[in-house]
Amino acid sequence: MNYHIQVERARLLMQQGRFDLAEQSLRAAVALEPDNGLAYSYLALVVIEKKEYDSAEEFAKRGVSLSPDDPMAHYTLSVILRQRNRLRQAEASIDAAIEFDPTSSAFYAQKAAIKIEQKQWKDVVHATDLGLQFDPDDVDCTNLRAIALTKLGRRDEAGMTIRTALAAAPEEADTHANMGWTLLHGGEPRQAAEYFKEALR
């Protein structure tokens, strides 16, 4: 099995949550092409699921080193650094990813997630608005935008944002939870409870 087939197989396994099998495919890919950065970036995302933070950061940095022009490599490093609570470095990495590809809604969602942790609510709205320009159905951008709008006291707008997300992805637990919080902050605990129940389901 060649390098690209192994990486694609791993990517599909990751989407299915089968991280052990994905790791096997990625390590096989690395053995085939040790100087190709893509497999290292995916390996970082796999091992972070096992809370192997040092290994994840090492793989992510290796991915950037081998593929410095690949926005995915910078995005991956940002994800790992954010999980390690190194927010300034995480932001620098996602900014690099956005510079290489300013049209990826996932990159703006990552930027917004960093800003959420810094409690910079207006910056969250700005980042998610940019992301939603490129993919109006991006659930992560929509949910993060709704959280920020709620924190800014713009609850009606937050509710509209979440309803849009629910229409696009009605099975998304985080979106139901966000609607619950928005309603709770708006003084509607009974309706909020229904959305929290649905999120748990």
Side-chain angles (χ1 to χ4, degrees):
M1 205 179 291
N2 72 27
Y3 176 90
H4 295 290
I5 292 173
Q6 289 282 18
V7 171
E8 182 60 21
R9 179 174 181 269
R11 191 180 67 80
L12 293 171
L13 288 165
M14 289 166 69
Q15 289 175 352
Q16 297 166 1
R18 301 164 71 187
F19 295 104
D20 287 341
L21 290 175
E23 183 176 356
Q24 290 175 21
S25 286
L26 290 167
R27 290 189 182 278
V30 165
L32 288 165
E33 293 190 26
D35 294 328
N36 193 319
L38 183 60
Y40 289 101
S41 293
Y42 280 128
L43 257 175
L45 295 174
V46 166
V47 300
I48 200 73
E49 292 292 326
K50 300 192 295 184
K51 313 295 185 195
E52 295 177 4
Y53 298 106
D54 290 340
S55 294
E57 185 173 341
E58 184 180 334
F59 285 135
K61 286 181 174 176
R62 182 84 170 143
V64 170
S65 172
L66 292 169
S67 302
D69 297 333
D70 182 358
M72 173 65 185
H74 293 280
Y75 166 80
T76 300
L77 180 57
S78 178
V79 169
I80 303 307
L81 291 170
R82 178 178 156 246
Q83 290 210 24
R84 305 203 81 175
N85 203 34
R86 296 190 356 229
L87 299 180
R88 286 187 182 176
Q89 292 171 299
E91 187 171 359
S93 291
I94 200 58
D95 286 343
I98 290 169
E99 189 173 332
F100 283 114
D101 180 5
T103 66
S104 170
S105 63
F107 295 170
Y108 292 106
Q110 170 66 5
K111 174 97 172 184
I114 293 166
K115 293 298 184 182
I116 283 266
E117 296 196 26
Q118 296 170 328
K119 296 181 171 48
Q120 295 177 3
W121 311 120
K122 289 182 180 178
D123 289 342
V124 174
V125 174
H126 178 67
T128 54
D129 282 348
L130 288 171
L132 290 167
Q133 285 180 11
F134 298 107
D135 182 1
D137 296 325
D138 187 299
V139 174
D140 290 332
C141 279
T142 304
N143 277 322
L144 292 166
R145 185 175 190 276
I147 290 168
L149 290 170
T150 300
K151 293 291 187 180
L152 290 167
R154 294 158 60 183
R155 292 189 190 97
D156 289 344
E157 198 176 345
M160 288 173 59
T161 299
I162 296 169
R163 286 184 185 90
T164 300
L166 284 172
E171 298 299 317
E172 187 71 34
D174 287 344
T175 309
H176 285 280
N178 278 338
M179 181 59 96
W181 285 114
T182 301
L183 290 166
L184 196 61
H185 284 293
E188 301 180 64
R190 287 185 182 175
Q191 282 184 273
E194 293 305 312
Y195 281 96
F196 286 132
K197 284 179 188 174
E198 187 63 18
L200 289 168
R201 184 187 69 79

